Amino acid sequence: MYISQQLRSRSIAEYVLYMWQVEDIIRAYDCQLSRIRAEYISQFDYSDEQKEELADWYGDLIRMINQEGKRERGHLQINEVVVQQMDELHRQLLSSSKYPFYSAEYYKVLPFIVELRHRGADKQESEVLTCLNALYGVMLLRLQKKEVSPDTAHAISEISTLLGMLSDYYEKDKTEGLEF
């Protein structure tokens, strides 16, 4: 909860990736708040009050997962909405001549997106979702201490740059508004 609040205001892409990780953590504990509280939250160096707030937050997410039928896989609607907002902004930035650096980075990343879509199961997913899935997949590989090829590392670096730019524009649009 505390990390998600910081990330949401700093980098929307990092926030989404974090929330996907939280969904996976909840599933790893079989969507049982008692286990999350005892085996996960208890490890944090938080006050008792903070631990209760965190447990309430996880409890809310567990309820959403159950209500939305996402116990096995999939992302919560609240997270899907954020990805949709990112995708809408992505398309607006590309269609505007006012953001040439974003367009230039996009065209550097486009071959990787095409390749990822060719390999993926859902060829209709948005470009932003494709990029987020790639980053999340590599993050999981690294957590498992698995090797990432130099070509994949290069693609992820370019994708990270694009999503970093998109996150910056997302924040600017929320705080100041962007002109298209």
Side-chain angles (χ1 to χ4, degrees):
M1 175 179 82
Y2 303 111
I3 294 170
S4 72
Q5 291 169 340
Q6 291 172 346
L7 290 175
R8 182 147 190 152
S9 65
R10 189 182 76 209
S11 170
I12 199 66
E14 288 181 39
Y15 166 80
V16 168
L17 295 171
Y18 176 78
M19 290 305 296
W20 287 0
Q21 186 178 22
V22 167
E23 292 169 346
D24 284 345
I25 288 168
I26 290 170
R27 290 184 192 107
Y29 288 100
D30 298 319
C31 298
Q32 295 177 17
L33 183 57
S34 59
R35 286 191 61 206
I36 291 171
R37 188 186 300 260
E39 299 171 34
Y40 185 69
I41 294 174
S42 65
Q43 298 177 43
F44 295 107
D45 187 26
Y46 291 149
S47 69
D48 289 343
E49 183 180 322
Q50 288 173 312
K51 287 180 181 179
E52 278 305 309
E53 288 175 357
L54 194 56
D56 289 345
W57 184 69
Y58 272 97
D60 289 342
L61 293 173
I62 289 168
R63 276 189 286 288
M64 286 185 241
I65 284 173
N66 287 325
Q67 289 171 349
E68 295 178 22
K70 307 284 173 112
R71 287 181 67 94
E72 301 297 320
R73 60 185 157 83
H75 300 298
L76 290 171
Q77 187 65 35
I78 57 170
N79 297 327
E80 288 179 355
V81 166
V82 173
V83 173
Q84 289 170 354
Q85 291 170 345
M86 291 173 68
D87 188 58
E88 288 170 17
L89 178 59
H90 166 72
R91 286 184 271 119
Q92 288 176 315
L93 291 167
L94 290 176
S95 67
S96 174
S97 61
K98 294 183 179 186
Y99 304 96
F101 294 113
Y102 185 81
S103 293
E105 186 59 34
Y106 167 74
Y107 286 110
K108 286 170 62 177
V109 171
L110 185 57
F112 304 123
I113 293 171
V114 170
E115 184 177 343
L116 288 165
R117 281 185 165 174
H118 180 69
R119 292 182 185 181
D122 185 358
K123 309 223 185 302
Q124 301 301 314
E125 72 183 12
S126 75
E127 292 174 327
V128 170
L129 184 56
T130 298
C131 291
L132 288 166
N133 279 329
L135 289 180
Y136 194 71
V138 168
M139 183 182 82
L140 291 178
L141 288 174
R142 289 183 175 146
L143 285 172
Q144 297 168 14
K145 310 269 191 253
K146 293 186 178 175
E147 191 173 324
V148 176
S149 74
D151 287 343
T152 299
H154 173 69
I156 291 302
S157 175
E158 293 294 338
I159 289 169
S160 295
T161 299
L162 179 70
L163 288 180
M165 292 175 78
L166 180 60
S167 291
D168 290 346
Y169 283 124
Y170 184 93
E171 181 60 29
K172 187 173 182 175
D173 191 41
K174 294 291 181 203
T175 58
E176 303 170 26
L178 294 175
E179 291 184 24
F180 296 101

